[in-house]
Amino acid sequence: MTLKEILKKSSYTREDIVRILLANEEDIEVLRRKAKDTLFQYCGNEIYLRGLVEISNRCSFDCFYCGLRKSNNLAARYIMTEEEILETAKECSRRGYGSIVLQSGQRSDKSFVEFIERVVKKIKKLTKSDILPDGLGITLSLGEQNRETYEKWRDAGAHRYLLRIETSSKELFEKIHPAVQSFEKRYKCLKILNDTGWQTGTGVMIGIPNQSIPQLADDILFMQREGIGMIGMGPYLLHTETPMYSNKVWWLNKKKEIASLALKMVSAARIVLKDVNIASTTALETIMPRGRNLGLDFGANVYMPLMTPQKDRINYMIYEGKPVEDTDQVCLPDRKIGFNKWGDANFFLRQRESSPRNPLLRGD
Ligand code: 5AD
């Protein structure tokens, strides 16, 4: 079958997705077109905004790829104050960003859990307005927690949670994390999130050394199987202060291929999963010029303007070259920007219709 024929199908096998991800330069335009058509049909042409606030780079994990890993003694650690976070939240609503994402390194001690609970409640209270009667939509991206914590933060008023699985292959996961960080634990957290009524998001890195195309196809099928409605994926990037920096030469040789594979993953996820939200990530912009606009053009529909205070941005270096400014502003003639909206994925609205008693699954 040609790619065009495969793309005419309405559901896709693992082999189909592999074929999509192997699209060559000539085919890539066909793929982009199909992803855009699917996006417009299932989600419309709006781009939703989430102000991204990287509230702390402290981390108790030691991922082999990440610049924030606890063994990196060169990282100057920070945590934003409550006042700084609330000020930033107010600025998000002033700018018409309907949602905010609070992101940080891994921490689960009591004082952190309570700090987040308090901050979420205050953001909700502070950002209620005529335009947004329920305040800003709040997404948390704060790592692995227990059920009680997830429930606490949900009850405080957050409704979306992002927790990347990084790869759905247990074997590959174990190669890029220390033994104490298990695939099972990460997976269980995603289960609890879904179970406790969060709109759950996940994502993977693309171009991890030894990652295969069938594994990436499996990542998309994993998201489908696990009821994931929000996706944030990006290319794997180098950071000097990490064990995986030893792959530098390999990575530099592969860089172009990884960049193109990342865009194909965005399109493949759109085509297979249809009405989910997909973020065009900073990592895309880091690996290639105009990367975030390209991500949107290949099927993503969420853009996250960087709202971390200037002084802290330089210290949230999960990988090298991470921009400290939004140089790649949205600029696409066939799209409009969804100001002052939560912008929940239609995927969740559909879920809510089939289980109307869950109050967390709400739209605008
Ligand atoms: N390259 C790309 N993405 C990375 N992340 C962390 N380190 C890197 C890297 N070197 C992503 C991971 C993680 C999130 C904090 O950032 O997916 O979940």
Side-chain angles (χ1 to χ4, degrees):
M1 261 201 277
T2 65
L3 182 66
K4 263 195 180 137
E5 284 164 342
I6 290 173
L7 293 177
K8 287 204 179 99
K9 299 168 76 168
S10 57
S11 68
Y12 302 87
T13 63
R14 183 178 195 241
E15 288 65 39
D16 294 333
I17 304 172
V18 167
R19 178 69 181 77
I20 289 172
L21 296 176
L22 289 172
N24 58 24
E25 284 301 309
E26 282 156 46
D27 278 346
I28 208 160
E29 184 51 26
V30 175
L31 185 58
R32 188 189 65 82
R33 196 58 259 165
K34 174 71 183 183
K36 281 289 271 291
D37 289 347
T38 311
L39 172 70
F40 289 174
Q41 183 184 345
Y42 287 88
C43 311
N45 74 345
E46 256 180 341
I47 292 164
Y48 300 128
L49 301 173
R50 285 91 175 83
L52 175 60
V53 195
E54 295 151 334
I55 62 169
S56 173
N57 65 355
R58 292 191 193 153
C59 192
S60 60
F61 275 178
D62 221 7
C63 309
F64 297 158
Y65 45 87
C66 183
L68 302 188
R69 63 199 309 267
K70 72 167 178 210
S71 302
N72 180 9
N73 301 319
L74 298 181
R77 305 289 170 168
Y78 72 88
I79 178 159
M80 287 173 67
T81 63
E82 184 173 316
E83 292 68 35
E84 284 174 323
I85 301 174
L86 297 178
E87 244 342 286
T88 310
K90 277 196 276 183
E91 182 58 24
C92 287
S93 41
R94 273 197 288 272
R95 293 186 187 193
Y97 305 163
S99 292
I100 191 170
V101 181
L102 305 183
Q103 188 169 81
S104 82
Q106 172 72 39
R107 239 183 102 176
S108 41
D109 55 281
K110 190 161 174 273
S111 83
F112 182 73
V113 171
E114 286 172 359
F115 175 71
I116 297 298
E117 184 185 20
R118 201 164 57 241
V119 165
V120 167
K121 281 186 182 157
K122 290 195 177 167
I123 292 176
K124 275 281 150 196
K125 217 164 135 190
L126 267 177
T127 57
K128 285 192 172 135
S129 66
D130 291 346
I131 316 174
L132 276 180
D134 288 317
L136 288 178
I138 303 180
T139 307
L140 300 182
S141 178
L142 305 171
E144 296 180 6
Q145 307 291 343
N146 59 28
R147 179 181 288 263
E148 195 191 339
T149 299
Y150 286 143
E151 285 175 347
K152 200 177 262 182
W153 290 347
R154 176 203 63 193
D155 293 343
H159 80 294
R160 307 188 185 112
Y161 205 99
L162 292 172
L163 181 68
R164 289 192 178 182
I165 190 80
E166 314 297 356
T167 166
S168 64
S169 156
K170 174 174 150 60
E171 200 191 335
L172 185 58
F173 186 99
E174 287 170 356
K175 282 196 189 124
I176 61 173
H177 297 100
V180 287
Q181 294 173 229
S182 77
F183 178 82
E184 286 77 13
K185 175 80 198 299
R186 181 68 54 97
Y187 179 61
K188 192 171 159 220
C189 285
L190 283 174
K191 285 277 187 215
I192 298 173
L193 285 164
N194 250 342
D195 236 37
T196 46
W198 289 86
Q199 293 188 4
T200 309
T202 196
V204 295
M205 286 186 295
I206 298 145
I208 303 169
N210 297 309
Q211 186 180 42
S212 69
I213 299 281
Q215 279 172 340
L216 286 167
D218 285 340
D219 290 342
I220 292 178
L221 293 172
F222 172 90
M223 294 170 191
Q224 185 172 52
R225 198 169 59 238
E226 298 301 328
I228 296 297
M230 317 187 300
I231 298 167
M233 302 180 286
Y236 161 67
L237 297 152
L238 296 171
H239 191 293
T240 47
E241 303 307 311
T242 60
M244 277 165 64
Y245 193 67
S246 59
N247 298 291
K248 180 178 178 185
V249 174
W250 171 87
W251 188 87
L252 287 172
N253 281 321
K254 283 263 180 187
K255 185 174 174 186
K256 266 217 162 101
E257 217 178 294
I258 294 173
S260 144
L261 189 55
L263 291 177
K264 289 190 272 183
M265 271 296 275
V266 170
S267 288
R270 172 59 65 207
I271 292 165
V272 176
L273 305 173
K274 300 185 171 61
D275 60 357
V276 299
N277 275 349
I278 303 179
S280 192
T281 58
T282 318
L284 284 170
E285 179 177 341
T286 310
I287 203 168
M288 65 191 133
R290 294 193 68 251
R292 276 203 284 180
N293 271 291
L294 284 167
L296 293 166
D297 211 31
F298 275 76
N301 65 332
V302 170
Y303 182 89
M304 294 159 52
L306 185 58
M307 292 300 287
T308 308
Q310 284 290 345
K311 67 175 168 46
D312 296 321
R313 291 181 184 186
I314 190 77
N315 294 318
Y316 206 83
M317 281 294 150
I318 41 191
Y319 41 75
E320 251 150 56
K322 184 168 167 279
V324 291
E325 299 292 339
D326 285 319
T327 43
D328 194 16
Q329 303 272 345
V330 183
C331 177
L332 293 163
D334 57 350
R335 311 291 280 278
K336 65 174 200 246
I337 297 186
F339 284 108
N340 295 305
K341 289 188 169 183
W342 280 17
D344 287 325
N346 285 340
F347 175 89
F348 296 115
L349 306 184
R350 204 160 37 84
Q351 265 190 355
R352 186 179 50 149
E353 271 152 28
S354 53
S355 67
R357 272 167 303 143
N358 188 339
L360 278 167
L361 299 171
R362 50 139 292 171
D364 290 317

